[in-house]
Amino acid sequence: MTDQAVDTDGSAAGGAVPRPASAQASDGGQFVGRRRELKELRADIDRAGLDTISGRKAPRARVLLVAGRPGSGRTALAEELARQLADDYPDGVLRAHLTEPDGTRVPTERTARELLDALDVPAPPGADEDELAEVLREALSGRRALLLLDGAADAEQVDPLLPDAPECLAVAVSEGPLTGIPDVRPCTLGGLDSAAAVELLSRAAGPVRITVDPRSAESLVEACAAHPAALVLAGGWLSVRPKAAVADLAKQVHDRPEEASALARVFHHSYASLPGTAARILRLLSLAPAGHVDPHTASALAGCSVSAARTTLDDFVKLGLVRAVDSPLPQYEVPGCLVPLLRACSESQDRPAEVQLARARMLERTVRLLQSCRAITEPDGSAARKKLAGMPRALRFPSPAAASEWLRIRRPALLAAARLAVADGELDTLARRLMAALTRALVAHRGTEDAAPELYGIHRLVLDVAERRNLPREKAAALLNLADLDARTGRTQEALVRYRLALDAGRQANDPYATGRAMESVGGAYQELGDWSRASDWFGRALAHRLARDERTDAARLYGRIGTVHTYAGRYGEALRNWSSAVTGHRKTGDVAGQARALSELARVQEYAGRPEESLRTCQEAVEWARQAGDVRLQAALQLRLADTLDRLGDPAAARLHRGAAERMLGMELGEVTGPASKDSKDGAGASAYEIRSASAED
């Protein structure tokens, strides 16, 4: 056993823990009982619906409902049904949990994104639930897929996710009826039949004791009310006590009349038999984000080593108290039916300060793992890698690939941790650090574009904290990040609103960077909307702000952005003046490459203005500066521009020479020429997001 986060081969130490025997396992070899219910559900698929009876074609997917209390085996029955029907739905089985283990409803927006992600269909960051539901329906149109919607609270959660495709099937799992969705008959679950209950108990406890004492086994089944989750716990308790009598356990469970349910009676009997340290770890697992646990989470919650935490989790798996997840890394899941019981135990036995400290340790551990995950992507010898070398071995990743795999697998838990940290309200500093570290890790491993949906959610959480704590600086940062994501996905009007709000927050915080950045971004949004007057006005304000602070590099770039806008508007005189100022500014700051690019744009505007001879001279000067800057691609682009200008001036021989030079520079691959005032490039300004300013001392 190793305490390292990931082994040197990139896999988890020891591999995944085998799944415990369960009535609700998803493979056919483990599933027990429920034959009648399965038969009813399969028959319900082919049952004529109200639309068919009335002569109309069914407009939407058929919905099957599996209803039952948590722990009744409702999810396993739905999974077994999906397994049996998988061949009938070649476009796959899509799964989504509509409720968190603590009972919190999952927003439709998040569920729709998860389903679209499973379909490999891109969803625009920032889209609301109506937009995403529409994208999901379009994605499922023409497909034959099965949707398994687990933990539905009501019809309002299910209805937006239903595809307008009668070839699809939706299987919803809920505690009660879904009033509001037509033509749905619930398959309501109670306890298992006697034979299935005994078989489940036999699988969990081992067959010998059950076979030699069938009467006691039946008594234990009765004490457990044939409840699947209770039977798994009872079998787990027996499996680790080979000398315990089945009859004694049945009597002990039966003699706990103070418990409201069979599951509660068996759980508290199993819990009472745990050593004090293990019992404390089990209670604290109720704090695990979305019920997802790994050895690091348990270690941080309990304040013990990673190896000790993993050993304890493996013991819990044998007892049926947690489930092992099939994963390259050691992953566990707290059964949702046990979360309220664990929480009640914690409330009665742990002081609030201890619980809050455990939550803080968990978040701090998560922050450090994320910092390590990002640092491994930095070059050898960098400050981040040196800092990484000083971290405990348990927090280090051996390679970028191992870190990336960890981030991929733990992503749902990490996002859930961020949401819980914000909802807590008492750990806002840690919450901000967590979200900053998560943002950096996602960008380092996946890039801004690929991680945009997750980043959008993280920045909204930052905004929640900033508004709650009245932190204008953090509010400005979050608004700028959200607006940048809006702008990248074509939501320019939404971006403009957020940039203006960021400007107000930056001014309130007296943050010159945020203020200048917001002014420039407002100008960029107006430029994207084609409002040249407002764009030049806002770029001018940003320029004045930079000049007042003697920020010459940014000022030179802004002269170029103003020149670009005037070029679009056909105001070539203003454009020439601003591009000339940009050239001067880059020269004064010693930015040779910037000077070459600015001269290139100046030459193009001169050509637009009907001054080809001036354009030719300026372009030749730009070539020389591009050569000094070592920018071969720009040199080639300028050579092509010179050729075009010479053609217009009636010198085709010279034009051919310049085209030949361009071809040689690029090795016969001309590539894509960078344009002067390309509307898409926006002159390169404002491209980098204003990073969340963390309370951490990292970097």
Side-chain angles (χ1 to χ4, degrees):
M1 183 77 65
T2 176
D3 276 6
Q4 190 172 10
V6 182
D7 274 346
T8 54
D9 63 355
S11 61
V17 183
R19 256 186 99 156
S22 167
Q24 311 327 336
S26 60
D27 58 283
Q30 291 291 323
F31 191 80
V32 174
R34 303 298 190 196
R35 294 180 182 176
R36 177 182 58 81
E37 290 88 345
L38 280 168
K39 185 177 179 181
E40 289 178 357
L41 287 165
R42 296 199 67 158
D44 205 28
I45 298 172
D46 300 321
R47 175 177 58 85
L50 298 176
D51 289 294
T52 304
I53 293 172
S54 64
R56 297 190 303 269
K57 182 180 179 180
R60 306 181 82 182
R62 168 60 62 88
V63 180
L64 304 182
L65 173 59
V66 179
R69 295 184 63 80
S72 63
R74 56 187 188 172
T75 298
L77 177 59
E79 287 283 2
E80 175 63 13
L81 178 66
R83 188 191 68 81
Q84 293 184 11
L85 296 174
D87 291 341
D88 297 332
Y89 294 91
D91 291 311
V93 178
L94 308 176
R95 295 171 174 83
H97 287 275
L98 307 189
T99 307
E100 301 282 13
D102 62 359
T104 304
R105 295 163 61 103
V106 175
T108 301
E109 172 193 336
R110 195 196 316 163
T111 304
R113 284 192 183 281
E114 291 173 358
L115 293 172
L116 287 167
D117 187 53
L119 289 167
D120 288 328
V121 175
D128 60 25
E129 64 179 52
D130 291 336
E131 294 176 82
L132 291 169
E134 180 61 30
V135 174
L136 178 62
R137 284 191 290 271
E138 290 177 2
L140 290 171
S141 177
R143 299 190 192 226
R144 189 172 176 84
L146 191 156
L147 276 70
L148 202 164
L149 306 175
D150 197 1
D154 50 41
E156 285 72 22
Q157 271 194 307
V158 174
D159 188 69
L161 304 172
L162 295 180
D164 294 330
E167 298 81 10
C168 292
L169 175 69
V171 179
V173 177
S174 179
E175 192 164 343
L178 296 179
T179 305
I181 296 180
D183 202 23
V184 177
R185 294 190 304 192
C187 175
T188 305
L189 303 186
L192 291 167
D193 63 77
S194 180
V198 171
E199 183 181 353
L200 173 59
L201 184 62
S202 175
R203 291 187 180 188
V208 175
R209 278 181 291 180
I210 305 304
T211 303
V212 300
D213 193 359
R215 190 178 298 276
S216 294
E218 291 175 1
S219 177
L220 180 55
V221 166
E222 181 182 355
C224 293
H227 188 281
L231 289 168
V232 169
L233 290 179
W237 188 90
L238 287 169
S239 70
V240 298
R241 294 171 176 81
K243 296 183 179 180
V246 177
D248 290 342
L249 176 58
K251 184 177 185 305
Q252 291 166 357
V253 171
H254 189 272
D255 290 345
R256 298 181 72 95
E258 72 279 5
E259 307 296 347
S261 67
L263 177 60
R265 290 197 298 272
V266 181
F267 167 77
H268 282 109
H269 178 79
S270 182
Y271 172 79
S273 65
L274 293 173
T277 301
R280 177 171 173 270
I281 293 176
L282 183 63
R283 293 195 304 270
L284 292 175
L285 292 185
S286 64
L287 302 175
H292 299 299
V293 185
D294 70 346
H296 275 286
T297 302
S299 163
L301 286 169
C304 64
S305 71
V306 178
S307 58
R310 179 162 185 192
T311 299
T312 303
L313 288 171
D314 289 344
D315 291 341
F316 289 161
V317 169
K318 296 172 186 175
L319 289 166
L321 292 166
V322 301
R323 290 192 287 262
V325 177
D326 185 14
S327 167
L329 298 176
Q331 303 273 9
Y332 307 82
E333 182 182 24
V334 182
C337 60
L338 298 185
V339 171
L341 298 171
L342 293 174
R343 186 163 292 154
C345 288
S346 181
E347 289 173 353
S348 65
Q349 299 182 50
D350 298 317
R351 294 195 300 271
E354 293 175 340
V355 174
Q356 195 72 329
L357 180 59
R359 185 181 282 112
R361 284 197 304 265
M362 178 181 67
L363 294 180
E364 180 64 36
R365 175 71 61 85
T366 305
V367 168
R368 298 189 71 190
L369 282 166
L370 285 166
Q371 290 172 349
S372 172
C373 181
R374 183 191 67 85
I376 194 67
T377 66
E378 296 292 322
D380 290 336
S382 64
R385 289 298 288 268
K386 291 177 182 177
K387 184 176 180 180
L388 176 63
M391 284 187 173
R393 186 170 181 268
L395 301 180
R396 299 200 302 267
F397 296 91
S399 68
S404 182
E405 179 72 351
W406 174 84
L407 184 64
R408 181 187 66 81
I409 292 172
R410 292 294 295 168
R411 184 186 65 169
L414 294 169
L415 294 171
R419 291 190 294 268
L420 287 175
V422 171
D424 179 273
E426 298 297 324
L427 297 166
D428 280 342
T429 298
L430 262 176
R432 286 153 54 204
R433 290 182 59 213
L434 171 61
M435 288 180 285
L438 181 54
T439 298
R440 292 172 180 139
L442 286 169
V443 171
H445 286 277
R446 294 175 52 194
T448 302
E449 295 301 323
D450 187 38
E454 290 90 347
L455 296 177
Y456 204 96
I458 294 168
H459 297 321
R460 284 201 295 200
L461 291 173
V462 175
L463 183 60
D464 289 344
V465 174
E467 290 179 337
R468 183 170 66 212
R469 295 287 301 275
N470 191 26
L471 302 170
R473 187 179 181 188
E474 284 77 3
K475 181 179 178 179
L479 285 166
L480 284 168
N481 278 315
L482 287 168
D484 286 344
L485 291 169
D486 281 331
R488 289 192 187 107
T489 52
R491 301 160 61 87
T492 311
Q493 288 288 358
E494 291 87 343
L496 180 58
V497 171
R498 284 197 163 112
Y499 283 136
R500 284 183 171 275
L501 291 173
L503 177 58
D504 293 339
R507 285 170 171 165
Q508 183 184 351
N510 195 26
D511 185 337
Y513 175 83
T515 301
R517 167 80 154 75
M519 286 179 180
E520 184 173 349
S521 297
V522 170
Y526 278 124
Q527 177 181 329
E528 189 67 28
L529 292 169
D531 191 335
W532 315 127
S533 296
R534 284 193 173 93
S536 61
D537 175 55
W538 280 98
F539 285 146
R541 298 186 196 190
L543 174 62
H545 178 81
R546 300 294 189 186
L547 290 172
R549 295 178 53 79
D550 199 28
E551 295 172 350
R552 298 183 181 182
T553 300
D554 287 320
R557 180 174 48 75
L558 279 162
Y559 276 122
R561 298 204 75 176
I562 296 170
T564 297
V565 171
H566 285 309
T567 303
Y568 288 152
R571 298 190 288 264
Y572 299 129
E574 290 293 329
L576 290 171
R577 280 192 289 275
N578 280 279
W579 278 117
S580 296
S581 297
V583 171
T584 302
H586 287 304
R587 185 174 65 249
K588 287 182 177 178
T589 59
D591 184 357
V592 177
Q595 184 179 349
R597 287 192 294 270
L599 282 165
S600 169
E601 304 304 329
L602 178 60
R604 184 173 296 239
V605 177
Q606 287 170 336
E607 189 170 343
Y608 291 162
R611 304 177 186 178
E613 291 82 2
E614 290 182 33
S615 175
L616 186 64
R617 289 193 298 272
T618 303
C619 202
Q620 289 169 337
E621 184 182 356
V623 168
E624 176 58 25
W625 286 109
R627 186 189 63 76
Q628 291 186 34
D631 192 335
V632 176
R633 194 170 185 82
L634 180 57
Q635 289 181 68
L638 289 166
Q639 292 286 358
L640 290 173
R641 188 175 301 165
L642 282 169
D644 290 341
T645 303
L646 287 166
D647 272 335
R648 281 189 283 274
L649 290 173
D651 192 349
R656 283 195 297 272
L657 289 173
H658 285 287
R659 285 196 177 90
E663 290 174 358
R664 287 192 298 276
M665 287 176 184
L666 296 179
M668 300 301 295
E669 183 180 350
L670 297 180
E672 183 179 325
V673 179
T674 303
S678 167
K679 201 170 182 178
D680 293 331
S681 71
K682 301 187 187 77
D683 200 33
S688 60
Y690 178 47
E691 191 176 44
I692 298 172
R693 299 195 179 185
S694 157
S696 167
E698 185 193 16
D699 296 342

